[in-house]
């Protein structure tokens, strides 16, 4: 048996999940294993409001997408029931609008936004006034060379098409592309590119490996380089209307109208179940715009720390919405406390329906399989780091909160998950 699994199984056998024993940690540390990583575990009984077991629960780990639990809680406390799509004002014969960070505009992964309807039906002259936005397109601590990949779409004040270009390949035919504005921005390479479609770092010129043209029914998403001008070009091409860009208005503008687009729950499900990085980032920007006049991630984070997270056991090191940053650091016991707060905000059935479910949905579809689902949680994975934090339903009907965090390991993540599965199954069966 894999030594890591042996180590995990030993700890669980010692736990018994009756009470925390001083011998547990001693036995855990003395077990022989080649695992050189760092592991933390916290398990909490909701009904008894009592921590059942802790191992390194006060130590900081790289949370990866477990960060989205903090983002989710931010949305719950700030954003309300619907996504704010645009703020706008009517001045004489002009409709002036600005973005709020809403990720739904023409996004194929979400319901139709109401923005196009507003702009297409308006008889006013259309003007776009960008809100205050001082962020870089990538978050702090992101890997800069991931810009070719769909999970690393740029942050922006008024995203369109999810800030991604989608290529549709059908055997031996020219690829279809959305948005269509990029159809003349493709060139082909005889080299085997890795990945097979690459974008220029600073502009929207795409290179496609010629062998991709032989693929049938193949789809690939590549982030595009966002700008206010590109946004308006896409909107004008779609609406067949002229939209002027305003940078320095001659008089102050009072954006006294807000158009709401889609139910907020639909974007929460995307970040919790499917772990959508782009939407998570936009949630923090929208939250910042709700409490200030600037779309800046740190405004939302600082507000949450000062108003709703002061009672966490350990101060979070939190810098982005998605967890792509390696600067983020949380402890297992703080994640457990956060999950307890979230549990108190929503009915259990609704909350669990948004989470990835073991063996059933989202990022857990192929893991923690059982005849009756028992894991409802958020995964988080970066190279050499993997965490799982959420809710566990035991055979006896109890609901436990857990946070299982692993950093700096060198074994395959699949082996790590085997050990985690064995522990979580034992918790399910014996507590």
């Amino acid at each position: 048996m894999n030594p890591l699994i042996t180590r995990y199984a030993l700890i669980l056998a010692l736990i018994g999940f009756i009470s925390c024993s001083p011998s547990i940690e001693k036995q855990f540390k003395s077990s022989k294993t080649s695992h050189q990583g760092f592991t933390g575990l916290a398990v909490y009984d909701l009904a008894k409001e009592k921590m059942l077991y802790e191992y390194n629960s006060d130590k900081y780990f790289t949370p990866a997408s477990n960060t989205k639990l903090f983002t989710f809680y931010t949305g719950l406390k700030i954003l309300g029931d619907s996504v704010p799509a645009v703020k706008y004002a009517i001045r004489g014969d002009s409709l002036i609008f600005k973005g709020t960070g809403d990720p739904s505009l023409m996004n194929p992964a979400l319901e139709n936004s109401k923005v196009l309807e507003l702009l297409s039906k308006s008889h006013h002259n259309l003007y776009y006034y960008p809100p205050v936005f001082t962020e870089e397109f990538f978050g702090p601590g992101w890997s800069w060379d991931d810009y070719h990949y769909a999970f690393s779409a740029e942050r922006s004040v008024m995203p369109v098409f999810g800030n991604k270009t989608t290529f549709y390949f059908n055997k031996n035919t020219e690829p279809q592309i959305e948005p269509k504005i990029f159809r003349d921005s493709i060139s082909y390479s005889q080299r085997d590119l890795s990945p097979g479609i690459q974008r220029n770092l600073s502009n929207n010129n795409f290179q496609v490996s010629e062998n991709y043209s032989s693929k049938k029914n193949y789809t690939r998403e590549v982030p595009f380089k966002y700008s206010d001008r590109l946004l308006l070009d896409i909107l004008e091409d779609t609406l067949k209307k002229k939209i002027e860009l305003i940078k320095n208005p001659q008089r102050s503008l009072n954006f006294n109208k807000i158009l709401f687009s889609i139910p907020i729950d639909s974007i929460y499900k995307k970040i919790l179940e499917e772990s959508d990085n782009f939407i998570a980032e936009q949630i923090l920007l929208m939250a910042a715009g709700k409490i200030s006049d600037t779309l800046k991630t740190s405004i939302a984070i600082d507000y949450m720390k000062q108003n709703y997270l002061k009672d966490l056991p350990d101060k979070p090191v939190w810098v982005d919405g998605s967890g792509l940053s390696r600067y983020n650091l949380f402890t297992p016991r703080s994640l457990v406390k956060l999950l307890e707060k979230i549990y108190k905000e929503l009915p259990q059935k609704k909350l669990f329906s948004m989470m990835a479910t073991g063996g059933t949905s989202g990022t857990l579809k192929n893991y923690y399989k059982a005849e009756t689902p028992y894991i409802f949680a958020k995964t988080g994975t970066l190279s050499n780091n993997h965490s799982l934090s959420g809710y566990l339903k035991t055979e006896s009907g109890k609901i436990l909160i857990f946070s299982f965090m692993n950093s700096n390991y060198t074994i395959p993540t699949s082996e790590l998950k085997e050990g985690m599965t064995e522990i979580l199954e034992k918790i399910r069966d014996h507590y």
Side-chain angles (χ1 to χ4, degrees):
M1 181 181 287
N2 180 283
L4 177 60
I5 299 176
T6 303
R7 178 184 182 182
Y8 280 166
L10 172 62
I11 251 310
L12 201 23
L14 289 167
I15 290 172
F17 289 95
I18 298 172
S19 63
C20 184
S21 167
S23 66
I24 296 174
E25 188 168 337
K26 179 180 178 182
Q27 291 292 331
F28 191 56
K29 288 183 176 180
S30 65
S31 64
K32 293 182 179 180
T33 175
S34 63
H35 176 50
Q36 295 176 299
F38 187 45
T39 298
L41 175 62
V43 184
Y44 179 80
D45 187 319
L46 259 173
K48 294 182 179 179
E49 298 185 339
K50 175 184 177 183
M51 196 72 81
L52 298 176
Y53 178 70
E54 296 179 84
Y55 181 79
N56 282 336
S57 72
D58 61 340
K59 306 301 182 186
Y60 284 91
F61 293 80
T62 300
S65 284
N66 273 202
T67 304
K68 293 183 177 74
L69 293 169
F70 281 82
T71 301
F72 174 46
Y73 187 55
T74 301
L76 290 177
K77 301 307 291 185
I78 296 176
L79 288 179
D81 297 331
S82 298
V83 176
V86 289
K87 296 179 179 179
Y88 67 102
I90 304 293
R91 294 291 180 271
D93 61 356
S94 303
L95 187 155
I96 307 149
F97 64 98
K98 67 177 181 177
T100 61
D102 173 20
S104 69
L105 178 60
M106 302 174 75
N107 189 334
L110 295 170
E111 300 173 42
N112 290 332
S113 169
K114 297 177 181 177
V115 174
L116 289 182
E117 182 180 0
L118 171 71
L119 300 181
S120 64
K121 290 184 176 181
S122 175
H123 298 295
H124 296 83
N125 297 319
L126 300 179
Y127 295 88
Y128 176 65
Y129 177 56
V132 179
F133 184 70
T134 59
E135 300 283 56
E136 298 293 337
F137 52 87
F138 276 179
W142 289 18
S143 179
W144 71 269
D145 57 350
D146 285 340
Y147 69 93
H148 296 300
Y149 298 95
F151 63 78
S152 197
E154 296 186 3
R155 307 180 295 178
S156 66
V157 295
M158 193 168 177
V160 59
F161 282 97
N163 287 356
K164 293 188 289 285
T165 308
T166 304
F167 294 80
Y168 303 93
F169 293 88
N170 202 347
K171 192 173 183 180
N172 297 323
T173 63
E174 290 290 318
Q176 300 298 308
I177 187 169
E178 288 287 349
K180 292 181 174 61
I181 200 169
F182 294 128
R183 58 186 174 271
D184 296 326
S185 302
I186 305 172
S187 61
Y188 293 89
S189 173
Q190 294 181 348
R191 294 184 297 117
D192 288 331
L193 302 175
S194 180
I197 305 175
Q198 294 186 355
R199 196 201 81 216
N200 188 286
L201 175 63
S202 58
N203 60 48
N204 287 311
N205 292 324
F206 299 90
Q207 264 201 324
V208 180
S209 288
E210 286 189 345
N211 62 5
Y212 263 49
S213 64
S214 64
K215 293 179 179 291
K216 185 176 182 180
N217 298 329
Y218 180 79
T219 302
R220 173 76 197 284
E221 293 180 327
V222 182
F224 56 67
K225 170 59 66 177
Y226 182 91
S227 68
D228 292 331
R229 186 64 260 169
L230 175 62
L231 164 67
L232 298 190
D233 287 345
I234 293 173
L235 286 176
E236 288 177 344
D237 185 62
T238 302
L239 298 169
K240 310 305 179 188
K241 285 186 172 185
K242 181 68 176 176
I243 304 175
E244 295 286 348
L245 179 65
I246 303 176
K247 288 286 189 177
N248 299 298
Q250 295 180 348
R251 57 177 178 170
S252 61
L253 297 171
N254 178 22
F255 292 91
N256 57 351
K257 299 179 184 294
I258 300 178
L259 175 70
F260 290 91
S261 57
I262 62 176
I264 199 100
D265 289 352
S266 62
I267 68 172
Y268 291 155
K269 191 173 178 69
K270 288 290 183 182
I271 69 167
L272 295 176
E273 187 176 78
E274 300 177 21
S275 205
D276 191 299
N277 293 323
F278 166 72
I279 293 176
E281 294 299 332
Q282 296 302 131
I283 287 174
L284 288 193
L285 293 180
M286 288 190 292
K290 184 77 176 288
I291 58 180
S292 74
D293 61 355
T294 302
L295 275 64
K296 188 174 180 62
T297 298
S298 61
I299 291 175
I301 289 175
D302 290 344
Y303 179 86
M304 291 300 294
K305 284 181 178 180
Q306 294 165 12
N307 292 278
Y308 298 110
L309 299 173
K310 288 192 293 187
D311 58 343
L312 293 184
D314 307 291
K315 185 178 180 179
V317 181
W318 178 21
V319 301
D320 72 359
S322 62
L324 283 172
S325 176
R326 289 181 181 267
Y327 297 164
N328 294 310
L329 291 170
F330 305 144
T331 65
R333 66 184 185 182
S334 284
L335 275 162
V336 163
K337 181 65 176 178
L338 175 71
L339 284 159
E340 184 183 25
K341 289 174 173 287
I342 291 171
Y343 190 86
K344 292 177 180 178
E345 291 284 334
L346 296 169
Q348 182 190 110
K349 183 178 180 180
K350 180 177 181 179
L351 173 59
F352 286 9
S353 72
M354 292 181 182
M355 308 289 290
T357 302
T360 301
S361 67
T363 56
L364 292 179
K365 186 175 183 178
N366 298 317
Y367 303 97
Y368 310 103
K369 296 181 179 180
E371 186 173 338
T372 301
Y374 70 102
I375 294 289
F376 309 88
K378 183 72 203 74
T379 55
T381 306
L382 291 170
S383 55
N384 313 109
N385 295 272
H386 177 72
S387 296
L388 183 71
S389 300
Y391 308 94
L392 186 153
K393 185 180 291 186
T394 70
E395 289 287 349
S396 64
K398 294 182 174 66
I399 300 297
L400 306 179
I401 299 177
F402 71 94
S403 180
F404 208 152
M405 307 188 78
N406 301 274
S407 289
N408 303 319
Y409 59 85
T410 57
I411 64 170
T413 300
S414 59
E415 293 183 21
L416 185 86
K417 290 177 180 178
E418 289 177 29
M420 294 172 66
T421 299
E422 187 166 337
I423 286 186
L424 294 173
E425 285 178 349
K426 281 182 164 51
I427 298 175
R428 174 197 64 189
D429 296 341
H430 295 104
Y431 184 75

